[in-house]
Structures are given as C-alpha cells and as structure tokens.
Amino acid sequence: MTTALPAALDAELSALLGPQGWRTDEAARRAHGEDDSRRQALPDAVAVPADTAQVAAIVRACRAHRVPVVARGAGTGTAAGAVPFAGGVVVSFARMDRILDIRPDDRCAVVQPGVLNGDLQQALQPHGLFWAPDPSSAERCTIGGNLACNAGGPRAVKYGTTRDNVLGLAAVTGTGEVIRCGGPWTKDATGYDLTHLIVGSEGTLALIVEATLRLLPRPKAQAGLRVFYRDAAGAAAAVSRLMRQPQVPAMLEFMDRSAIALLRCNGTDVPDAGAMLLVEADGDEDTLPLALQALADAAGGEGLLSLDVAMDGAARDRLWAARRALSPALRSIAPGKINEDVVVPVSRIPDLVAAVEALSAEHALPIVAFGHAGNGNLHVNIMYHPEDPDEDARAHAALEALFAQVIALGGTLSGEHGIGVAKRDWMDRAFDAATLAAMRAVKAALDPDGILNPGKVLPPAHG
C-alpha cells in the first residue's frame, strides 16, 4: 500500500530495519494508530528498532525529510499521546524490551523502554525489591510509557510517581543525538536535571531508549482499612488528618457517593455511604500493628460511619475488590466514558466532589469520581452515549466545565495520564504566557524542527 512517505526515506529505513523492523502495510499501521483514548489516526509507517543506534538513525532520517516521529509503548494511554494525528513514523519499542541489569546493592535496575511494568516487578521479586509506579495497566503497560506520562498509581502517595523513581536516562533528541543524564546514584547536584525534564514530556522532547530506575525494598507485611463516611467532607477531613500524621499510608483511595452506589447496584458488598476511603499500611511484622493503629486513629472523626480492618492477604483482597470492580462497573452505566485525572489540593476535595455532583445535575449525565485521595488526584468519569449527538455535546460541555472548576480550585489538569491532545487546549489556561514560552523554548532546544510527537502537550502559539 502506498503511503505519504518520501521514497528516499522509505528506502533508507527499509534497508536499516529490514522487513520485521519497517512496516508500511495497513494492518501494522492500524495496529499502531490508536490508544486507550479511543482516538485513532493512521501513521505512514511503523518502525520497530532493535537498539539505540537504530532509534537515532530513524530520527535523523525523519528529520532530514521533516517527517513526524511518534514514540509508542503498549498504547495504554488515555490522553491520545501516542496517536499519530500528523501521520509520519510511529516508533514501537516492542523489540527493545530487555532488563539490562538489576543491581540490588545500588538499588537500581537498567531497562529498555519496551519492558512491561509487570514483568519488571516479577524479575525484582527474588531480590526483595520493587519499582514503585503501579498504574492500573501495570501488567500490560511499558516502562517507556510510564516514563513518557509520569505514571502513578495508588502507591504514589507514599513512594512517589514515575518521576520520583528514575535515576537516569539515555534518550534520542529531535536532532538524532543520544544524550545521557543521571545514573546509578541518588544524589546529584551536577548540571541541569534533564532526567526529570524528559520524564513526563510524552515523547515531545526526546525518545527514551534506556532508563536507570530507583528500586525500593519490598515491604514484608501489609494491612488495610476500609472506612465509610456520611459525606465527602468527612472523608476529605480524614484524608487531611491521615496525611498530617507521621505514618504515611502506602495507599489512600477515595470513592464518592456515586461510585459506592454503582458498586451496590452491581452486587458488591458495601454499605450505603456518602464516601469511602481505602487505606493501606506496610512495613514489617513488628511495626505494622502500630502503623495501622495510627492510621485508624487518624481516619476516625466527624462523619465516620464504619471502619473495617484487614490484616491478612485474603482479607485485604476483599477490601480492595471494590476498587478493582469499579472501572468495569462503569460500563454498565453507558458505553462512552470521558475519564480525566484532575488534581486539586487535598483540602479542596469536598469542593471538587460538590462541583462534580453539580455538573452531573446540570448536564443530566452520570459522573463518578474516585481515585488517589492522598495526592488530591481524582479520576472523574463522565458517562454518556457517544452515538447520541445531544449527550455527546453535553458530555464535552461538562468536561470543559470540570477543567475550569479544577483550575479555579487551585488544581491542575493531570496527575498521571498526561496531556496528549485531550487536555492540550487547556494548557494556556493552566499556565501563563511566560511559562508556556519557556516550555516552547525547551522544546525548540531539544527538537528544533518540531518532528517529535507534534501537536501534543503544548497548544499552538498565538501570533
């Protein structure tokens, strides 16, 4: 099938990568043209490099012809960050999937971007270590994708997001040069911190080809609490108390009234309540009971309805079954879902929940909120029928109003999903002109021709 690629570029990359590494057939292009945002666009070709040298050669060749380059992991992103709307070449890291080194004494691992998060966790288990980021797609998402979007997950409240757990990178810039920053050390006051600049940049500044990851000792014991409150205000006040005391929870998840009602309708054994917190502690056998008691004391207070404790693995699994059941249950409401992971200060969670309830009433749509309360990072799910033009319009109007409310509450657009195109057009309301200009200057320095994932993250400059 013919594509829009220059013939010289097609010939050069075909010779470099061979038939397994250079695909222009429609099946391969379609398979690499969408992600979990459900948006799609066909690339002109798919490149599947085997090493860093090939990645650099691909970028140099594409730059010479001004052809866009879009990096891709497993396609689990929800902000359309990996969708090639401008065509060009999608670079899949499926063949760069090796764990290069595990260094227990240095508490780090060196990996290629195509390694799956879940596979890395399994490889670390015999060493008594783990990598902290735990997105819900951990079994199928790649480390490269986690790095690109600064992925998080429930453990982020104690252990941080991806950016907090990366020590160094090797990456290919938009000029095709390989840069190396950071390394297997935990203190570094040497030069600019390019590592943490590139993490979260969604493939717009450089293509990550190797990462040195910070590892942590695996806790020997865990226990959990399931706490129900009369309303969201009581739960949010408890979150503030939990985060003020010295024992940091390993996980701290929130569900609003709508989420609890949905679980009850789908047969999950939870009582009727205005809000729920799932709290987890970790440590060792000696310290865990004290840690759990401290968390239980902080979780109590005004609005508390009930508190369940789970000390063993089976009981913990039962507590967390509600959280795991929630996302699948959403599809029982409506086939369409706009899921945005907005962030507000923890003290403003009640205001955000109240705003979500008001938006649901105003736009006559079910909206369900849950997520990582300790970080103020809630997943707001607007449910609708995409085939209904009126519902579709109301859903997107509700989304616009949600972003406006989040910014008014002193929050920000994304905690872990990234910007992609889904939130790009709100960036000039989240940041002032001088800050956006600084971001564009960074982009121009590392990608002077603008070929890396064009049209993502930054809105078009005006004037």
Side-chain angles (χ1 to χ4, degrees):
M1 182 174 182
T2 59
T3 73
L5 289 177
L9 177 64
D10 188 3
E12 180 180 354
L13 294 183
S14 178
L16 173 72
L17 300 169
Q20 296 305 310
W22 181 244
R23 302 285 299 275
T24 57
D25 57 285
E26 185 171 357
R29 293 163 60 211
R30 288 197 180 281
H32 293 80
E34 61 184 352
D35 62 10
D36 277 358
S37 70
R38 301 193 176 187
R39 295 173 171 90
Q40 55 186 307
L42 277 182
D44 297 312
V46 178
V48 193
D51 55 38
T52 296
Q54 287 188 347
V55 177
I58 291 165
V59 174
R60 288 194 298 269
C62 288
R63 185 192 185 201
H65 294 277
R66 299 296 191 268
V67 169
V69 177
V70 179
R72 181 183 177 87
T76 60
T78 62
V83 178
F85 293 106
V89 175
V90 164
V91 177
S92 165
F93 287 100
R95 289 204 292 173
M96 294 180 65
D97 61 351
R98 290 188 299 135
I99 299 172
L100 301 175
D101 196 9
I102 295 175
R103 300 168 59 169
D105 290 345
D106 294 319
R107 281 205 207 166
C108 71
V110 183
V111 304
Q112 292 182 314
V115 173
L116 297 184
N117 183 307
D119 289 349
L120 175 63
Q121 306 294 3
Q122 289 185 10
L124 295 174
Q125 280 192 13
H127 302 279
L129 300 168
F130 74 103
W131 191 51
D134 59 334
S136 60
S137 58
E139 292 304 314
R140 58 194 180 98
C141 65
T142 65
I143 301 297
N146 296 167
L147 296 165
C149 296
N150 189 30
R155 285 196 297 238
V157 65
K158 181 172 183 177
Y159 296 110
T161 63
T162 297
R163 184 176 279 123
D164 303 306
N165 291 280
V166 179
L167 301 174
L169 297 174
V172 177
T173 69
T175 63
E177 296 172 298
V178 180
I179 60 173
R180 296 184 180 275
C181 41
W185 46 78
T186 56
K187 292 183 74 175
D188 189 350
T190 312
Y192 298 122
D193 188 355
L194 298 179
T195 299
H196 296 104
L197 175 67
I198 292 171
V199 172
S201 64
E202 303 184 40
T204 63
L205 301 181
L207 276 60
I208 296 169
V209 291
E210 184 181 296
T212 302
L213 307 177
R214 171 179 175 257
L215 306 179
L216 298 166
R218 186 175 295 276
K220 295 180 180 179
Q222 297 93 23
L225 305 172
R226 187 174 69 170
V227 196
F228 294 93
Y229 297 90
R230 185 174 57 245
D231 51 36
V239 171
S240 295
R241 291 193 300 273
L242 284 159
M243 296 308 295
R244 281 201 305 266
Q245 51 88 47
Q247 181 60 51
V248 179
M251 300 182 190
L252 178 50
E253 298 288 291
F254 167 87
M255 293 187 196
D256 72 356
R257 185 185 304 276
S258 296
I260 295 169
L262 176 61
L263 291 173
R264 286 169 57 82
C265 286
N266 282 270
T268 302
D269 183 19
V270 294
D272 188 19
M276 177 170 68
L277 295 181
L278 294 174
V279 190
E280 186 156 293
D282 62 14
D284 58 39
E285 290 81 358
D286 294 330
T287 62
L288 187 62
L290 295 175
L292 195 65
Q293 185 60 57
L295 294 174
D297 290 345
E302 179 68 24
L304 175 69
L305 297 178
S306 64
L307 184 151
D308 302 323
V309 180
M311 292 299 295
D312 61 63
R316 282 178 57 243
D317 286 345
R318 287 194 295 273
L319 288 192
W320 285 93
R323 178 67 170 87
R324 289 191 295 270
L326 192 52
S327 288
L330 288 170
R331 295 297 182 192
S332 68
I333 300 176
K337 178 177 74 170
I338 301 175
N339 172 17
E340 297 300 349
D341 68 317
V342 295
V343 185
V344 296
V346 169
S347 63
R348 305 309 298 270
I349 287 177
D351 301 303
L352 176 60
V353 173
V356 167
E357 291 174 349
L359 287 174
S360 178
E362 178 184 352
H363 296 279
L365 292 169
I367 304 179
V368 181
F370 58 89
H372 316 310
N375 302 110
N377 178 201
L378 295 190
H379 295 252
V380 179
N381 298 268
I382 303 169
M383 308 305 300
Y384 69 111
H385 292 79
E387 71 280 3
D388 182 330
D390 182 61
E391 267 198 32
D392 184 79
R394 296 202 314 271
H396 286 87
L399 176 64
E400 293 281 305
L402 170 67
F403 287 152
Q405 187 65 52
V406 166
I407 291 172
L409 290 173
T412 194
L413 302 175
S414 178
E416 55 190 12
H417 290 173
I419 298 300
V421 297
K423 307 181 187 79
R424 178 197 62 195
D425 294 339
W426 273 84
M427 288 286 281
D428 58 3
R429 280 165 276 191
F431 296 98
D432 60 31
T435 305
L436 283 175
M439 292 183 187
R440 291 190 179 98
V442 171
K443 166 75 169 170
L446 292 174
D447 180 26
D449 298 297
I451 65 168
L452 298 184
N453 213 5
K456 310 293 174 57
V457 182
L458 295 176
H462 299 295

